[in-house]
Amino acid sequence: FGEHWSAVLAVNITLLDTTKEEITQRVLFQKNYRAEEPITNRTPQGLAAAMSRAMEKLSATIITDIHQAAWKRLPPKEKK
């Protein structure tokens, strides 16, 4: 603990294909993400700013991962 304060953001992203009847076939993608950012101003605004930076770091990775997972599921004729 001490003098170091951080905002920690942890999210789990799961994509499901709800058209599949079999539950084991529904999960298209699942991954845990985590980011930590220092809180430079120990106020609610400082926490919000740190959480925003953490989400900014994760969002590009999440978007790329989801795009790649969706791309793999497309039939070959639709990959143009």
Side-chain angles (χ1 to χ4, degrees), residues 10-45:
V11 295
N12 174 281
I13 303 294
T14 304
L15 297 178
L16 299 175
D17 182 348
T18 57
T19 65
K20 303 287 185 186
E21 297 232 359
E22 183 65 38
I23 191 71
T24 59
Q25 300 296 315
R26 286 189 181 183
V27 177
L28 301 178
F29 173 84
Q30 186 171 38
K31 186 173 179 180
N32 294 312
Y33 298 87
R34 184 182 186 280
E36 183 173 345
E37 280 293 313
I39 299 173
T40 55
N41 181 5
R42 294 180 184 179
T43 64
Q45 293 84 1

Side-chain angles (χ1 to χ4, degrees), residues 17 20 28 67-80:
D17 182 348
K20 303 287 185 186
L28 301 178
H67 181 266
Q68 289 175 354
W71 183 258
K72 289 177 186 176
R73 302 292 291 198
L74 283 176
K77 65 181 180 179
E78 293 185 36
K79 292 181 180 181
K80 294 181 183 182

